[in-house]
Amino acid sequence: MAHLQLTAVAGGRDDEMEEVALLGSYGEAEGPSSRKGQEEEEAGMRRAQVRVTGMTCSACTGAVEAALSARRGVRSAAVSLLQNRAHVVFDPALAKEEDIVEAIEDAGFEAEILPDSAVSQPKSQKALSGQFRIGGMTCAACVNSVEGILKKLPGVNRAVVALATSLGEVEYDPTAISKDEIVQAIEDAGFEAALVQSSEQDKALLGLIGLHTERDVNLLYDILRKTEGLRQFDVNSVRAEVEITFDPEVVGLRSVVDIIDMESSGRLKAHVQNPYVRSSSNDAQEASKMLHLLRSSLFLSIQVFFMRMVCPHISFINSFLLMHCGPFRIGDLLKWMLVSVVQFVVGKRFYVAAYRALRHGSTNMDVLVVLGTTATYVYSVCALLYGAFTGFHPPMYFETSAMIITFVLLGKYLEVLAKGRTSDAIKKLVELVPATAILLLKYKDGKYAGEKEIDALLIQPGDVLKVLPGSKIPADGIVTWGTSHVDESMVTGESASICKEVSSSVIGGTMNLNGILHIQAAKVGSGTVLSQIISLVETAQMSKAPIQKFADYVAGIFVPIVITLSLLTFCTWFVCGTLGAYPNSWVSETSNCFVFSLMFSISVVVIACPCALGLATPTAVMVATGVGANHGVLVKGGDALERAQNVNYIIFDKTGTLTQGKATVTTTKVFSGMDVGDFLTLVASAEASSEHPLAKAILDYAFHFHFFGKLPSSKDDVKKRKEDAFSQWLLEVADFSALPGKGVQCLINGKMILVGNRTLISENGVNIPEEAESFLVDMELNAKTGILVAYDGDFIGLMGVTDPLKREAAVVIEGLKKMGIYPVMVTGDNWRTALAVAKEIGIEDVRAEVMPAGKADVIRSFQKDGSVVAMVGDGINDSPALAAADVGMAIGAGTDIAIEAADYVLVRNNLEDVITAIDLSRKTFSRIRWNYFFAMAYNIVAIPVAAGALFPFTGLQMPPWLAGACMAFSSVSVVCSSLLLRRYRKPRLTTVLQITVE
């Protein structure tokens, strides 16, 4: 866990495996925009940002793009209607800025080159990733609309929008577009937008207490202007916030907070705004706002319903309601006034959302609600006016309109609450971080001067923190004093407590159990393991599984189809009624054929629900990724979840994956008559310069042989004496070289020594005695790796090294077979050792002596017939194979690069989690299929019923208000179905293996 690096945002890169962009985990690591930009720079291209005025629609943008593209020397042109801007790439040898302006003006628009835009962009500009909260989205059509708008913006490399979380993640070039322009573009599209957090490390959002008057604002401005190291700041006095950009080399965030407190004499108190707390408060505000609307609508609707259904049976109230006020009856006027408030005040949000959708050529659920309720309301008003002036009172359906809006708001409120529970995993992870920390203050001579309680968000690398028993560790770091046991189960899922002493690493958010610890903070903020896990889970929840394309497609055509069906329903019933195709008894005495047909038509519009389809996949993925994180299985996206359910083959690396990765020397055999101690000294001296794990095992073994029982018990003294001993007993080495896949060679005392495998010895012409060969074969058959040693051209001895298998390896392999998955082992070790290990754990298919690049080739050979292949590995040499596999699973204790290349991260370093990952994937997509079944079945069954398909046979007619209730609860039912995944429990191996425990 010490090396867990889950996300990194990067722009241009040299090595594809060095850094992986936050959104690059799900596709190309580098956006097409950035690659295109690099190609342009290499070709000597220049860029220009042009403000274009006079554009009113997409036809205008098309005209500007066509005019620019036709101009000689212009390589490409992208025009944004929302921002009134054109982004032009041109060859300065063939075209000038004036030519670009002239081309736009010839097309009938005004143009102006923006200052400092027509220059070559820096080649190594770092891309930023920003997370934005987007309000007003109701279905998949809204998501598609926002994503489409964001992807068209100049400078935006990638954009992902999630309906379930109301969040959008945008990777953009800060030199081409700012976060404020992104927010403005979203708002121009008719949605609400606000920045939640950015990957910029030198920016922070501070909340302020005491910022009430203009005088306080002026005081804050004066303080910030004088603060050295602050590049810029933006004060929002309404929200009592200030966004600062600072130079971390000059001033720290904690210093800025302290300066504001001191310079204002305590009048102003600053604190860092936690983006996750802000997000939670926004969720709470949304729920509160929806509840207020629901209460208002319910209060008014009940009165209308009471007047329609109850009052006619209470004579004195009925007499009052039938009294006339001018040409109108009092009861009708009261209904009209109450319903008008519901329709246009409470229901304003539906009209606004419908307008936004229609303005951008898309349709959503709000369009259906507005059509249904408006049709009912307009008809009722017309009936009221007709009755007032003719004396014949046709039936009115004011209560229908009000009840539809009430039920839809109830559904929306329940949906907001349910969707909030799908992100409980994120909230629980955030709550692990303590709010405060105890900072140990030092004098200049290094002695401790005291302690101070600070905000945990203000911890800086290098700070020494005091952690009391029973409190949470506030940051990743190293123990500098004290011993204790730490419970890391909240991060790793491992229940056993872990002993921590001086030099031990600790993870922020874990619980200190019984002793006082002093830790030196190493990673803070977004660099901590917990923050990276949160970031990974968030990004996974925003990703789209391929199966969701189906819902997106349906969402695009759903509303037009429903409106067509509604019109068809009305026409069918009305024409049949006019022609006398059904008896008059079907139409009530107070109604007529038009009203009879209209009610069926409105029911069809109101009962149809595209929201359930749109929520079927993202809510399930959200819950599943959160559940996985709680069990130590981190999933990088819905696409990884979807692929893992269909795994046919699973490829295992051997060292560090199936084995513990801690090699130990078990056998030493000398064949030259040399003393064992001298032999070990010779081999250890040769291996001392190598970084290979086997070299460390040989050094430890030799050191233990020479110094066992001769070292003090203190850990610090052991380390010091060990370093001193190394400098005394190891021999001087010259011309050292490491030969990958073979071993090492160097000169000791002027003679060549070779330490490595059979290949290294044979290539140098050294003969291996038959006795040594026989001994070596016996070791390899017992799953030990042989290290051969030759000195001055003669074979002198060998050593046997073993890497113990993980205790759960054999059981996991058997469990995977029971699940219908075929296990394969691929290793760079020799064939005899590989076959011995495979036999011990039950793997039948073995590929040995495979180089790192060859592992990817093995995976591709299995993929040729369309099989889905998973790869489990831990090292840098596994990263090509992890990337080549359909599903890559990195052991959590592995290297950063392996974790970056994988789709799953098994935090606990336990092979049982391979079964958990696949089982969770299967359970999740089983739930998604049920969600789609419910959503599709609801619409397939409900729409014909609402259209009156059963009426001729059963007399069953669904009133529009009941249709509204059904529609409201359809999306709630899908979200609740996804929430059932929260009850997921890891499969027990006894269950997988079908073992009965007596």
Side-chain angles (χ1 to χ4, degrees), residues 464-498:
V464 178
L465 308 168
K466 180 178 180 180
V467 186
L468 300 173
S471 61
K472 292 176 181 175
I473 295 170
D476 292 5
I478 304 296
V479 176
T480 59
W481 180 86
T483 58
S484 182
H485 281 78
V486 174
D487 179 6
E488 296 184 345
S489 61
M490 56 280 292
V491 174
T492 65
E494 188 66 62
S495 57
S497 60
I498 300 171

Side-chain angles (χ1 to χ4, degrees), residues 174-500:
T175 62
I177 190 169
S178 69
K179 61 176 178 55
D180 294 328
E181 289 175 317
I182 293 173
V183 169
Q184 187 62 46
I186 297 171
E187 290 178 342
D188 287 346
F191 299 91
E192 299 170 6
L195 178 73
V196 176
Q197 59 182 336
S198 172
S199 60
E200 279 188 284
Q201 297 299 308
D202 57 352
K203 276 196 175 184
L205 186 67
L206 302 180
L208 293 160
I209 300 174
L211 195 69
H212 303 302
T213 64
E214 190 68 28
R215 183 181 174 190
D216 298 327
V217 174
N218 293 332
L219 174 62
L220 178 64
Y221 269 102
D222 291 338
I223 295 170
L224 295 176
R225 284 194 194 100
K226 295 175 185 175
T227 304
E228 189 177 354
L230 273 190
R231 296 173 183 163
Q232 62 183 61
F233 55 88
D234 182 17
V235 178
N236 186 331
S237 57
V238 177
R239 298 179 64 114
E241 293 175 346
V242 58
E243 185 183 79
I244 61 171
T245 304
F246 61 98
D247 186 349
E249 300 294 327
V250 179
V251 66
L253 195 56
R254 188 165 71 230
S255 301
V256 175
V257 170
D258 291 341
I259 288 169
I260 292 173
D261 185 18
M262 289 187 296
E263 294 295 323
S264 66
S265 302
R267 282 176 57 189
L268 300 176
K269 299 280 187 182
H271 59 275
V272 180
Q273 289 277 42
N274 189 321
Y276 300 106
V277 173
R278 292 182 72 208
S279 179
S280 298
S281 65
N282 287 334
D283 290 339
Q285 288 176 9
E286 176 68 16
S288 176
K289 183 178 177 181
M290 198 64 69
L291 180 59
H292 174 70
L293 290 173
L294 174 60
R295 283 173 173 168
S296 303
S297 182
L298 187 61
F299 174 73
L300 298 170
S301 299
I302 285 177
Q303 295 182 61
V304 177
F305 189 79
F306 182 81
M307 282 190 284
R308 171 67 184 264
M309 305 301 294
V310 179
C311 290
H313 302 287
I314 304 175
S315 57
F316 71 94
I317 295 179
N318 188 44
S319 300
F320 172 75
L321 295 177
L322 292 175
M323 292 175 61
H324 281 71
C325 178
F328 301 102
R329 293 186 295 202
I330 290 177
D332 293 341
L333 283 176
L334 288 174
K335 289 179 189 176
W336 187 11
M337 287 188 292
L338 291 172
V339 171
S340 294
V341 175
V342 175
Q343 185 75 31
F344 300 111
V345 179
V346 177
K348 176 185 175 183
R349 66 185 309 278
F350 297 112
Y351 282 94
V352 172
Y355 169 72
R356 290 169 177 167
L358 292 172
R359 194 175 73 172
H360 293 279
S362 63
T363 50
N364 55 22
M365 186 206 73
D366 297 298
V367 174
L368 295 178
V369 172
V370 167
L371 280 175
T373 56
T374 303
T376 309
Y377 178 83
V378 170
Y379 163 76
S380 300
V381 171
C382 291
L384 173 65
L385 297 174
Y386 182 79
F389 294 106
T390 65
F392 174 76
H393 295 279
M396 289 176 291
Y397 294 93
F398 280 122
E399 71 285 347
T400 297
S401 170
M403 294 302 287
I404 288 173
I405 289 176
T406 301
F407 280 121
V408 171
L409 287 172
L410 174 60
K412 281 289 177 188
Y413 174 64
L414 295 175
E415 188 182 315
V416 168
L417 293 181
K419 285 199 296 185
R421 297 185 66 187
T422 61
S423 57
D424 276 354
I426 292 285
K427 294 172 185 173
K428 288 178 181 177
L429 287 170
V430 171
E431 288 168 0
L432 291 179
V433 183
T436 59
I438 300 174
L439 174 68
L440 295 177
L441 305 174
K442 285 185 178 181
Y443 289 118
K444 290 183 179 179
D445 59 2
K447 293 182 180 179
Y448 289 112
E451 52 189 54
K452 174 185 177 183
E453 188 172 37
I454 63 170
D455 188 330
L457 295 171
L458 296 175
I459 298 172
Q460 297 172 174
D463 285 347
V464 178
L465 308 168
K466 180 178 180 180
V467 186
L468 300 173
S471 61
K472 292 176 181 175
I473 295 170
D476 292 5
I478 304 296
V479 176
T480 59
W481 180 86
T483 58
S484 182
H485 281 78
V486 174
D487 179 6
E488 296 184 345
S489 61
M490 56 280 292
V491 174
T492 65
E494 188 66 62
S495 57
S497 60
I498 300 171
C499 179
K500 300 291 182 182

Side-chain angles (χ1 to χ4, degrees), residues 935-953:
M936 291 297 295
Y938 162 79
N939 284 295
I940 290 171
V941 172
I943 291 177
V945 171
L950 300 179
F951 184 79
F953 313 105

